[in-house]
Amino acid sequence: EAGVVQSPRYKIIEKKQPVAFWCNPISGHNTLYWYLQNLGQGPELLIRYENEEAVDDSQLPKDRFSAERLKGVDSTLKIQPAELGDSAVYLCASSLIAGGSDTQYFGPGTRLTVL
Amino acid sequence: QKEVEQNSGPLSVPEGAIASLNCTYSDRGSQSFFWYRQYSGKSPELIMFIYSNGDKEDGRFTAQLNKASQYVSLLIRDSQPSDSATYLCAVNRPRSSASKIIFGSGTRLSIRP
């Protein structure tokens, strides 16, 4: 079974530029998560989708971040414009909620560097 | 107070010994608990999850949950150098309050030969 796929793996941009990350979850997983992870910290949830619906985006900085999950499969996370403080690893995860389980499987992440 | 707290370490354990990793959480209504391992530069990978009080064993790993004291631990028996990584504790808050999984900052574990 293929795991969560993310691209690109690395991205270097200058501040004020836009950037987008793409995620393809594990087949059949209806829940998709975007996390931000800073060095030495645990992942912090940005947004969670159940199918096409964003059910928790309370931690997403909506002035510059946006996300979409059209057709309830792939998802894209965008930052526009990027700031220096956005440098981090952006992780996508997916889960198949069964019996209340939220066991999440993570993709390899996208390491963003904003110069 | 953080919702999920872990000692950042590093925790140094000799090869072959038992490594004990601890995690406390603040939301008493939390229902499910997860341990992830994260190697440097890699993404987290699930080791174990536990829902009920007591112990749950899987190979060399044992997760322990004590809801009354609001802590969850991970024991690694016969520690190997390949166990050297950061271990993340994650807690699922109950669905009635907008279910969300909260991660701790992780404990760095180093197994010395």
Side-chain angles (χ1 to χ4, degrees):
Chain A
E1 178 183 87
V4 176
V5 179
Q6 289 187 249
S7 68
R9 294 293 311 279
Y10 305 91
K11 189 72 176 180
I12 301 174
I13 60 172
E14 294 187 347
K15 63 181 181 182
K16 300 185 181 179
Q17 294 300 305
V19 64
F21 314 125
W22 176 80
C23 173
N24 182 251
I26 293 173
S27 178
H29 282 194
N30 64 340
T31 303
L32 183 147
Y33 312 77
W34 282 104
Y35 287 91
L36 176 155
Q37 187 174 26
N38 287 304
L39 188 65
Q41 300 296 315
E44 300 173 31
L45 181 70
L46 291 172
I47 189 168
R48 175 168 69 100
Y49 283 94
E50 290 187 6
N51 299 307
E52 300 90 353
E53 182 182 2
V55 296
D56 185 355
D57 63 355
S58 57
Q59 301 303 311
L60 189 72
K62 299 181 182 62
D63 57 337
R64 297 184 301 107
F65 286 65
S66 64
E68 60 182 11
R69 191 184 185 199
L70 301 176
K71 301 181 182 179
V73 181
D74 295 3
S75 177
T76 302
L77 177 69
K78 297 178 181 178
I79 308 175
Q80 182 171 10
E83 297 179 351
L84 295 176
D86 296 332
S87 295
V89 176
Y90 291 82
L91 294 164
C92 179
S94 69
S95 69
L96 176 62
I97 298 178
S101 167
D102 271 319
T103 305
Q104 299 177 36
Y105 299 88
F106 285 84
T110 297
R111 182 176 297 277
L112 174 67
T113 301
V114 182
L115 302 176
Chain B
Q1 180 188 14
K2 291 183 178 179
E3 290 193 60
V4 179
E5 296 214 47
Q6 297 181 254
N7 188 318
S8 61
L11 175 65
S12 181
V13 173
E15 184 175 357
I18 296 175
S20 178
L21 304 162
N22 300 313
C23 170
T24 58
Y25 59 95
S26 61
D27 191 328
R28 187 171 288 277
S30 298
Q31 296 178 337
S32 47
F33 308 85
F34 306 83
W35 283 101
Y36 285 82
R37 177 176 63 200
Q38 186 171 28
Y39 292 112
S40 180
K42 303 294 185 182
S43 59
E45 55 180 331
L46 181 69
I47 298 175
M48 293 187 69
F49 59 85
I50 186 168
Y51 304 134
S52 303
N53 275 328
D55 295 0
K56 179 181 179 183
E57 186 174 319
D58 183 1
R60 296 187 297 111
F61 299 95
T62 299
Q64 299 176 318
L65 175 61
N66 184 323
K67 290 186 177 180
S69 299
Q70 295 177 242
Y71 84 77
V72 58
S73 62
L74 180 71
L75 301 179
I76 306 175
R77 290 182 299 280
D78 188 23
S79 296
Q80 303 296 310
S82 60
D83 295 326
S84 297
T86 295
Y87 289 80
L88 298 165
C89 171
V91 173
N92 191 4
R93 289 193 316 205
R95 293 194 174 279
S96 60
S97 61
S99 174
K100 178 185 293 185
I101 292 184
I102 306 296
F103 284 82
S105 296
T107 297
R108 282 191 297 136
L109 174 65
S110 176
I111 307 300
R112 56 181 190 272

